[in-house]
Amino acid sequence: YHNDLFYLTGTRLAPKEKLDIPVLFMPDTMKMYEAVVIIHVMRENGENWPYEDSAELNKDLKSSITVAENGGIQGILWIYPVHGIPEAPQQKLVPVRCRARQRVERRVEVLLTGVVPGANAMTAVRNSAMVNINKPANIQEEVQVTDGFSTTVEFLYELQYQSNEIKSQLGALVGMHLIQRERDTESGIVTLIFNIVFAPNKPMRNKATLVVQCTTGGVWKFPMLFIATEPEVDDVINIEAVGLNKESIVGFKLTSQTR
């Protein structure tokens, strides 16, 4: 957004007519931009709307109208705050494969481009409501590393799922924590390396998104696909025939791992 003020005057609106106001956003840095869209409406004939208790207007109403000298309402204001949050282009899909009833660990490296250029900074990363196999979901961790500069750049990250149903299936089976973070002082690119743990209990194929958000407003999304293939065979059961047209029986035990 620009700091300039643009005025759209002389626009006539009939009763119940709609007015579309385009807002263009072209960010050049991964940070949040703020602007305000203000609509000021006055009567076409220049007359005021009568209002008897103009001297006793409450504070909320005073901020949304302009009052004339004679006490009438000269204009009505609509104020719309606008927040522009830049989002990086969609990244390539990251697959994580594992056989059911096994456990796999994989390192995933993500690059955050466009992080406030020129702010060669200390990188601070906070784990916000992350799912971890060994810890409750509400535990928050904060990790900081300094490269000799005083400015702080902070990030929040979490694994988001397409639905609550997928979250309930996959949430307890996936753990993730940050193991390394660094920043290239020349390009300004921040590199985050995560350790992903996937321990599926049955075959599945579900998507998730690793979302990283800078506290200055930028958002990066990294799609992930968790694939659990068929488990290994538990055992081989051999049945020995006792004769033609006669039944042979073999017994084996199944132990439930839950109640």
Side-chain angles (χ1 to χ4, degrees), residues 32 34 41 44 55 65 80 84 90 93 95 98 113 143 149 160 180 183 198 202 210 216 240:
M32 184 176 70
E34 298 183 52
V41 175
E44 186 178 17
I65 66 171
Y80 299 93
Q90 188 78 4
L93 186 70
C98 182
T113 57
V143 183
F149 297 92
Q160 294 182 354
Q180 187 175 341
R183 180 180 181 128
F198 184 35
K202 62 181 179 180
L210 171 58
T216 59
E240 189 173 328

Side-chain angles (χ1 to χ4, degrees), residues 76-250:
I76 302 175
L77 293 171
W78 283 268
I79 303 174
Y80 299 93
V82 180
H83 289 178
I85 302 176
E87 184 173 313
Q90 188 78 4
Q91 306 295 319
K92 291 183 179 180
L93 186 70
V94 178
V96 180
R97 298 175 181 272
C98 182
R99 297 190 74 165
R101 301 208 305 267
Q102 292 187 4
R103 181 179 183 273
V104 68
E105 289 192 27
R106 178 177 175 182
R107 291 192 175 188
V108 176
E109 180 179 297
V110 300
L111 301 179
L112 310 181
T113 57
V115 182
V116 191
N120 298 325
M122 168 173 47
T123 303
V125 183
R126 175 177 299 156
N127 180 355
S128 175
M130 278 303 308
V131 176
N132 191 300
I133 290 179
N134 301 320
K135 296 181 180 180
N138 60 355
I139 285 186
Q140 295 186 355
E141 297 177 350
E142 183 171 345
V143 183
Q144 293 186 349
V145 61
T146 178
D147 57 3
F149 297 92
S150 59
T151 309
T152 298
V153 178
E154 210 171 52
F155 300 93
L156 305 173
Y157 66 88
E158 69 174 322
L159 205 57
Q160 294 182 354
Y161 304 95
Q162 292 181 321
S163 65
N164 290 331
E165 182 180 358
I166 294 179
K167 183 177 181 179
S168 63
Q169 294 177 0
L170 201 59
L173 309 177
V174 176
M176 181 175 70
H177 66 275
L178 183 73
I179 59 175
Q180 187 175 341
R181 55 274 167 202
E182 58 186 22
R183 180 180 181 128
D184 189 307
T185 55
E186 294 183 3
S187 65
I189 296 177
V190 174
T191 302
L192 304 181
I193 300 178
F194 295 92
N195 187 57
I196 307 292
V197 178
F198 184 35
N201 54 6
K202 62 181 179 180
M204 65 177 63
R205 186 184 182 94
N206 287 321
K207 292 182 179 180
T209 303
L210 171 58
V211 180
V212 180
Q213 181 173 3
C214 184
T215 52
T216 59
V219 176
W220 296 261
K221 293 183 179 181
F222 303 91
M224 304 187 69
L225 177 61
F226 292 91
I227 304 171
T229 56
E230 292 291 335
E232 292 183 355
V233 174
D234 294 283
D235 200 357
V236 177
I237 301 173
N238 294 315
I239 304 178
E240 189 173 328
V242 296
L244 293 177
N245 298 318
K246 294 183 178 180
E247 292 183 352
S248 295
I249 299 176
V250 63

Side-chain angles (χ1 to χ4, degrees), residues 61-79:
L61 189 57
K62 282 185 178 179
S63 64
S64 60
I65 66 171
T66 54
V67 181
E69 295 180 357
N70 60 4
I73 296 178
Q74 185 179 21
I76 302 175
L77 293 171
W78 283 268
I79 303 174

